[in-house]
Every structure is written in C-alpha cells, then in structure tokens.
Amino acid sequence: MTTEIRQRDVVIVGAGMAGLVAGVRATELGADVCVLEKGTRPGGSMYLSAGLIWSYETIDDARENVPRGDPELQRTIVEGLDPAFDWLESLGVTVREPPVELPTGETVVAPTPGANCGKIEPEAFTDRLRTRIEDGGGEVLVETPMRSLRTDGNTVVGVDATTADGEDLEIEADAVVLATGGFQGNERLLQEYVTPAIENLWLRANPWSTGDGLTAARDVGAKTTGGMETFYGHNLAAPPANVTPDRYLELTQYYGPFAVAIDERGERFTDESESDLEHTLAQDTAHEADGRAYYVFDSDLYDDEVFSMGHIGTIVERSADRGAEVVRADSLEAFEEKLYAAGVDGTNAVETLDEYNEAVRTGCGDRLDPPRTDYQRPVDTPPFYAVAVQPGITFTMGGLHVDEGGRVLDERRSPSTLFVDEGHDESVECEPIAGLYAAGVDIGNVNNRHYMGGLANALVMGRRAVESAVDDRVE
Ligand SMILES: Cc1cc2nc3c(=O)[nH]c(=O)nc-3n(C[C@H](O)[C@H](O)[C@H](O)COP(=O)(O)OP(=O)(O)OC[C@H]3O[C@@H](n4cnc5c(N)ncnc54)[C@H](O)[C@@H]3O)c2cc1C
C-alpha cells in the first residue's frame, strides 16, 4: 500500500450541507481547500431533505423553543441566516420564498410558525456548490473517508484518510473543519447514547454519518456536550411499511402533535404537543415506548392539514399504500376490537381516549398525566383511526462543543462546570483546540431535545467555521 501526501490550507471533512458551504467559502477566501467525502456522492442528508432552510426569526423565539442550546451560538445562526441567504443568491443559487412544492406534491409555507425560511432544490444545490469549489481551485474527493486527525502536540495539523482505491492519504493542513453529520448511522453509538432498542429506529438520513467527526475529535481531546441521547427526527410508518431513502419524506407522519399517541398498552406516554415539529414525540417514542406507538385520531383530524405539511388523510393513505398498519373503525366498540387484533390493549386505549376527551373538552388537557398542553381537540367523530409508527432518526443533537466561530473546545482546557444547558459562562475562558473546527450536525451545543433547523445551522456555521480558520491562520 502506498501513502500519498498532500498539503492544503484547509481540509473539510464531509461534503454535505455544511461541508459544501465551507468549501465554497474557503475558495472565496483564497484558501487551498480539499473536501473529503466518505459516501458515493456529495450532498449528505441535505440531498435527501425537503430543502427548507429555516430557523427562528428572532433569538427570543429560538430561546423559547430551544432553551437548552447555547444562546450565543443560537444568536449567531438566527442573525446569520439572512446574510447567508444573500450569499447563496450571490452564488447563483435560487433561494425561493415559500410557499413551494415538495417532491411529495405538498405545498409548504414554513415548518413552524415564526420561522425565517427559504427553499433550495437539493440536487441542483449540491451540483452548484461542488462546481463552485472545483472552479475555485478546490477539490471534492468522494469515497475518501477521513480516518483520524493528525496532531502536533495539542494542534491539529491535518487528517489521515483512505482514497477510493484503498490507498492511504495524508493531508497536512493548517485547519480541519469537521462536517461529518452526526452519529445516527452508527449502531454502537446509538445503543450507547440513544436507545438499546435500535431495531425499532428507522435511519432517516444518509448512511455514512457514523460519528467519525465526533470520534476523531474526542481522540484529540475535544470537549463534547450534554444531550447525547437527544435527536432530531420524525415518526414514520412502522414496519411492515417499506421505508427506503426515496420515501423518507412521503412516509414521515408529521401530524403526531395533533393526534393522541399511545403505546402497546393503550396508554399515552408523553405530551404529544410539546413540539409542533414532532421531534420530541419521536424521541419519546424511542425512549418511553420502546420505539413503537400508534397515532390515534378521528375523521376531523383525518380531513385536516398539518400546518403546511399537507393533508393528513393523504399522508395516512400514502403510508397504507406502502404497507403501514392502519386501523380504521366506525365505532369505538369496533375500534377496541381491531386494536386488539393489531397487538394493542384495546380496552385501555378506549379508556385512555375517554379520559383524554373529557379533559380536552373542558380545556384541562394540562391536568392529564402526561399533560396535553396544546392542540386540545377531542377524538370523537367516527371513523376512528390508529396508525402504527416508529421513530426515524435524522440526526443526533449532542456532539462537539464549539464557540461562536465553530472552534472546537479543548476538554483539557475548558472548565468541567460548563454545561450546554447553561450556555456559555462569559466569565470563563474556554480554550479551543488549535486548527480544529466543526459545522452543522457535528456541533452539539445548538440543539438539545428541541431543534431550530438543520440546514440553517449547516449553512451559517459552515461559513463561520472556515472564516474563523482563515482568520486564525492570519493572526
Ligand atoms: C428526509 C430528510 C428531510 C430533511 N428536511 C430538512 C428540511 O427541510 N430542513 C432542514 O433544516 N433540515 C432537513 N433535514 C436535515 C438536514 O438534511 C441536515 O440537518 C443537514 O443535511 C445537516 O448538514 P451536515 O452538513 O451537518 O450533514 P450532512 O448534510 O448529512 O453531511 C454530512 C456528510 O459527511 C460525510 N461524512 C461522514 N463521515 C465522513 C468521513 N469520515 N469522511 C468524509 N466524509 C464523511 C457524509 O457522507 C455526509 O455526506 C432533512 C433530512 C432528511 C434526511
């Protein structure tokens, strides 16, 4: 086996949303850049996404909705989004104002009220950014995974990678930006942090994000965040539904926060409405219901729409066409019986519905245990439905602890009292690891249980991380 040695100013690890953005920005700043991509194509999970680049309009909204993230980092993303949209337009990328049509045919305004939102076409976007990097003198090497970081003392000085031909590739660089997209593709790490029952999780993401950035950074002393068990995702139709990457969007249920979610014992296990975006419900389905739940609702909800994510009946029928288990009954008696046939304690389920209906009819859902704080509408208009769902993990939220410039903090030189829940303590200096940066999902201190957009973080922090790398080099 031969070892090829190259020198670059900046190496970017991962050619997904954050990595491609970082690569383009690096060429604009005059850096000699190499973007390594483990997969067979660039684009990462962004390539599979709905392409809605969104975050909250204001930092106050972000704090209210995502209270456990780092306030300064969140501010960086919220305030950096409009300039980043302008920057994309300057590259010739059309960032369309919603409403826009999704690949599933639905028309989308914004994923949640109060969002600042633009829309890209993932495939064209990926091609455009890759071409910009190459035209700017950089390179994007697919099927070339980083294996580890190279260090000189406490400083990161490059990466070790493997080429598409299986040869060793050593790249010496002033800076490395990790943009490997989290660890949801790694069964061992999922079992360690998220749930022992990984067989009851769909992977709703690219298959190559297996925590390589996290592992390599930890090996050189990087500080990690809390919230390692939390993830962004949705509940999808459960097996026997056939969920493949081209169907992630069409089999995502979205309407969980409006339904009643029960487990196989027929009991509610969480406040379904804690988040409009279904991600807290998906996490609780994994953690509290062993990865198997049923969304129960009536014909009123069936005929309704989820904000802008489309007609609920259409989502249900589409799921049924793909093999999802959908129980439908014209009376509660028949519903109870059919639930038993589906493996759910039907008597308990109907009792749960009675109790729920009584509470929400008088606006007292918050007195239920678990409470129902929002969308308090009774389930009482036949036919009744139950759709079997299983959580799909799109990305893990915990990860590397960075500063507002995307510099990865050093575990050995950061106070152990600094928790992500509390944000930065301004009075304590945290030292970064020289030469090491992160962007996108690899950053762990933006989201924690709650979520403020995935593509927006990757867009804003992809740019920021490279700008910091170039600035730090000059100083
Ligand atoms: C179905 C679906 C719908 C979505 N819809 C939206 C949406 O509308 N809005 C939104 O904000 N977010 C959405 N997301 C989430 C969004 O796609 C991610 O938040 C975003 O792509 C994260 O960007 P990233 O660069 O951090 O990771 P990714 O885009 O996933 O890129 C990570 C890249 O790193 C590569 N990599 C991993 N390990 C290595 C290694 N060792 N060496 C080299 N390369 C490596 C991977 O192959 C991958 O290409 C959606 C995701 C999915 C799957």
Side-chain angles (χ1 to χ4, degrees):
M1 187 178 294
T2 54
T3 302
E4 188 187 340
I5 302 176
R6 299 188 193 182
Q7 262 116 22
R8 295 287 179 271
D9 297 329
V10 182
V11 175
I12 292 158
V13 186
M17 180 70 176
L20 288 170
V21 163
V24 174
R25 188 71 186 127
T27 61
E28 283 183 342
L29 296 172
D32 188 11
V33 64
C34 175
V35 184
L36 300 179
E37 171 51 48
K38 180 180 182 180
T40 49
R41 55 151 180 84
S45 291
M46 176 266 288
Y47 198 88
L48 307 170
S49 79
L52 290 167
I53 308 179
W54 75 274
S55 196
Y56 289 99
E57 280 277 6
T58 66
I59 181 63
D60 290 346
D61 283 347
R63 294 300 303 145
E64 194 183 325
N65 285 285
V66 193
R68 294 188 207 163
D70 179 327
E72 288 315 312
L73 198 49
Q74 292 177 332
R75 182 186 297 281
T76 302
I77 292 168
V78 167
E79 293 179 356
L81 193 51
D82 277 330
F85 283 152
D86 292 343
W87 177 73
L88 287 181
E89 296 274 359
S90 80
L91 301 178
V93 173
T94 311
V95 184
R96 280 188 291 146
E97 293 272 339
V100 290
E101 201 172 298
L102 290 181
T104 54
E106 317 296 352
T107 302
V108 168
V109 181
T112 186
N116 180 12
C117 187
K119 167 87 171 74
I120 50 161
E121 299 303 328
E123 197 177 332
F125 183 83
T126 302
D127 289 346
R128 167 71 60 140
L129 267 63
R130 180 186 189 161
T131 305
R132 287 294 293 222
I133 293 168
E134 289 169 349
D135 289 351
E139 58 191 347
V140 179
L141 305 177
V142 294
E143 295 183 82
T144 308
M146 170 201 71
R147 294 194 312 271
S148 56
L149 292 164
R150 302 179 66 77
T151 51
D152 180 1
N154 280 345
T155 302
V156 169
V157 294
V159 300
D160 285 322
T162 306
T163 68
D165 299 329
E167 303 292 340
D168 282 347
L169 172 63
E170 233 178 79
I171 309 182
E172 294 166 7
D174 295 332
V176 175
V177 178
L178 297 172
T180 67
F183 64 84
Q184 60 281 351
N186 184 318
E187 294 194 348
R188 186 183 56 76
L189 290 175
L190 284 181
Q191 265 175 333
E192 184 178 342
Y193 291 113
V194 178
T195 171
I198 52 164
E199 66 282 6
N200 295 345
L201 270 186
W202 293 117
L203 179 66
R204 184 182 182 268
N206 83 74
W208 305 294
S209 291
T210 55
D212 295 349
L214 177 73
T215 305
R218 271 210 291 225
D219 285 348
V220 301
K223 184 172 174 58
T224 52
T225 64
M228 296 296 276
E229 74 289 1
T230 67
F231 64 88
Y232 169 70
H234 284 272
N235 277 336
L236 275 66
N242 183 15
V243 174
T244 46
D246 55 319
R247 293 180 183 159
Y248 287 156
L249 290 172
E250 61 180 89
L251 294 176
T252 299
Q253 298 299 298
Y254 296 115
Y255 56 86
F258 306 87
V260 176
I262 57 170
D263 58 20
E264 287 178 336
R265 295 168 305 159
E267 289 171 12
R268 292 178 60 244
F269 52 90
T270 188
D271 179 358
E272 301 86 345
S273 63
E274 181 184 341
S275 155
D276 290 348
L277 295 169
E278 207 188 29
H279 54 269
T280 55
L281 180 51
Q283 290 173 66
D284 292 341
T285 305
H287 295 138
E288 311 294 334
D290 290 332
R292 179 81 173 194
Y294 294 80
Y295 283 175
V296 175
F297 50 96
D298 63 5
S299 64
D300 280 349
L301 193 73
Y302 182 95
D303 291 334
D304 211 339
E305 308 231 327
V306 197
F307 296 126
S308 45
M309 297 314 271
H311 176 241
I312 292 169
T314 307
I315 299 173
V316 173
E317 298 314 328
R318 208 160 51 203
S319 303
D321 287 348
R322 299 293 182 199
E325 187 176 13
V326 178
V327 172
R328 180 183 181 281
D330 290 327
S331 69
L332 279 179
E333 293 71 36
F335 195 51
E336 182 175 338
E337 218 168 278
K338 287 188 173 179
L339 282 174
Y340 272 115
V344 180
D345 185 325
T347 309
N348 257 352
V350 170
E351 272 172 26
T352 298
L353 273 188
D354 284 345
E355 193 192 351
Y356 169 88
N357 282 338
E358 203 179 308
V360 300
R361 276 196 195 105
T362 50
C364 296
D366 53 347
R367 292 199 202 140
L368 288 166
D369 181 20
R372 171 65 172 229
T373 47
D374 241 326
Y375 311 119
Q376 298 189 27
R377 45 198 284 176
V379 180
D380 56 6
T381 311
F384 300 101
Y385 296 85
V387 177
V389 297
Q390 172 173 296
I393 184 165
T394 298
F395 65 77
T396 42
M397 290 184 181
L400 301 173
H401 204 143
V402 303
D403 71 8
E404 294 93 83
R407 298 175 187 85
V408 176
L409 300 185
D410 190 333
E411 175 80 297
R412 298 154 297 195
R413 292 181 293 159
S414 305
S416 59
T417 49
L418 187 75
F419 292 112
V420 65
D421 304 34
E422 295 160 7
H424 279 297
D425 178 343
E426 299 292 336
S427 63
V428 212
E429 273 297 301
C430 296
E431 292 291 328
I433 296 177
L436 189 61
Y437 305 80
V441 172
D442 282 348
I443 295 179
N445 48 325
V446 174
N447 304 298
N448 183 337
R449 180 158 172 86
H450 297 275
Y451 154 82
M452 50 184 279
L455 295 173
N457 167 358
L459 170 60
V460 174
M461 293 309 294
R463 265 161 50 97
R464 277 302 286 259
V466 148
E467 287 164 1
S468 301
V470 171
D471 277 357
D472 294 347
R473 204 171 139 235
V474 171
E475 277 162 17

